[in-house]
Amino acid sequence: MLRVINPATQDLIAELPEDNAQTLAQKTRTGRSAQREWARTPLSDRLAAVRRFRDLLQSRRESLAATLTSEVGKPIRQSRNELNAMQARIDFFLEHTGEAIEDEVVHLAPGSPSMEERIHFEPLGVVANISAWNYPYFVGSNVYLPALLTGNVVLYKPSEFATLSGLDVAGMLHEVGIPREVFQPIIGAGEIGRALVQEDIDAVCFTGSYATGRKIAEVAAPRLLRVQLELGGKDPAYVCDDVDVPGAAAALVEGSFYNAGQSCCAVERVYVHRRIGKSFIEAFTEAARALVVGDPRDERTDIGPLARRAQLDVLEAQVGDAVTKGARLVLGGKRCSGRGNYFETTVLTNVDHRMALMREESFGPIIGVQEVSDDKEAVALMNDTDYGLTAAVYTPDRARAERILAEVNAGSAYWNCCDRVSPRLPWSGRKHSGLGTTLSVAGIRAFVQPKAWHLRG
Ligand code: NAD
């Protein structure tokens, strides 16, 4: 049985039957045999089902948000935000799937015989969707919605830390008319994920850590299985010397600590121009100190518990390592007393790249702020990482920001914003942050394969 624990209290909230080798094989088989018929269903029917799913999400928002908060510890306002923002994502897929997979005639030569060259897009087949817990609605739907809309069958394994929300999704998709064989939840932890990748699937789309992503890529490689990986980040933000200090500090506190820092695109390291270093650090620390840490069900809470208890050790080790190497702890620094997985809102200064805090994903409410002498040093430090998901620059000077961001090796570039995802733009990581693209038209095309038709008539 899979035990679902409330991270705010350590109480057991549910025990769920897990999948095993037999049920997994059975689900894969039934999925495989249902796929062709699903692909033949008119696109208009598939779109109508997803539109009903969108409406259901909205009408059940309060109870879905409460479940999400209870199993992940996300503050209730943020759970609601996640569900609200699903509307725009779903609308994007509804509006753009048709055009993304429409046939393209790329050459037409009249005459006798005539010659037509046409590209037709076919679904991949059976897609395994192995997901993370931190934004279970976002990261799952980036895969299963375009995959379903383009005619694929989805075997969806939510994270073991967000299984109740995963089951809510499955229930609603079935309720709106997606056949049970076409969307099947797979329940369990890492072992069942590992087994799923070995099943008769055509693609694996994964959201999670680099360590797991790499294992999946290694298992998939000998089969030349199509792999899409949305992985972690160590996302930098650079604050230039011409910035409005309180405004930038407030924005970066939000970007660093939203969802207790458990976002793939959370700001994980801050560089600030030395000329404004002192005033920025003061403003940043004060804004961080003002965040309310507490019960995630409380409307006033900004920071709830961490979803995974083990991460408390990672954060304490990062703080210890940084302090030993000369960092100055200006706020927080340790786990909170009590039963929940709470960690103090933590800010360290006088940090550098010898410290794990500035190199390894923290995924918690802790941040290092490093002073730099100029833009060149900032660019060098932003690029000194194994990751490449997002990077942000704060300055009123757009040309300066664009110059800096053009030099940074990351999939998303933010000017005067951060920790932001748009359904209209491709979401992709470089280096250890991933492979492939979700969202945007490219993220719909990721679930089809072209067939080249050479037609002589
Ligand atoms: P994780 O790697 O621990 O687990 C992710 C999923 O993989 C879970 O469903 C888990 O059960 C499964 N899994 C574990 N071992 C497996 C194996 N050997 N084979 C197959 N599946 C296996 O990650 P997590 O803790 O759920 O998520 C946090 C990570 O996800 C962070 O690194 C974060 O940055 C990243 N993330 C990235 C994005 C993005 O869009 N790039 C979005 C959200 C989260």
Side-chain angles (χ1 to χ4, degrees), residues 130-134 139 157-160 188-190 193-194 197 206-209 212 215-216 230-233 264 308 361 363 389 427 433:
I130 300 176
S131 210
W133 48 265
N134 59 336
V139 298
K157 196 196 94 52
S159 163
E160 59 273 35
R194 205 174 60 79
V197 182
F206 170 77
T207 308
S209 61
T212 311
K215 283 186 203 156
I216 289 176
E230 304 271 357
L231 308 178
C264 52
R308 296 164 306 168
E361 197 176 36
F363 231 57
L389 193 57
W427 185 246
S433 291

Side-chain angles (χ1 to χ4, degrees), residues 315-316 319-320 329 331-335 343-348:
L315 299 184
E316 274 185 350
V319 173
L329 190 58
L331 186 67
K334 58 181 192 311
R335 72 184 71 200
F343 202 87
E344 294 173 349
T345 312
T346 298
V347 179
L348 294 118

Side-chain angles (χ1 to χ4, degrees), residues 218-233:
E218 283 169 359
V219 173
R223 289 166 60 194
L224 301 184
L225 199 59
R226 198 178 281 253
V227 175
Q228 183 175 290
L229 305 173
E230 304 271 357
L231 308 178

Side-chain angles (χ1 to χ4, degrees), residues 2 22 48 90 95 104 109 155 164 176 204 320 328 335 360-361 453:
L2 183 71
Q22 285 75 34
I90 298 176
E95 281 160 31
E104 278 175 36
L155 303 175
L164 296 174
V176 298
V204 54
R328 202 161 76 82
R335 72 184 71 200
E360 289 161 23
E361 197 176 36
W453 288 83

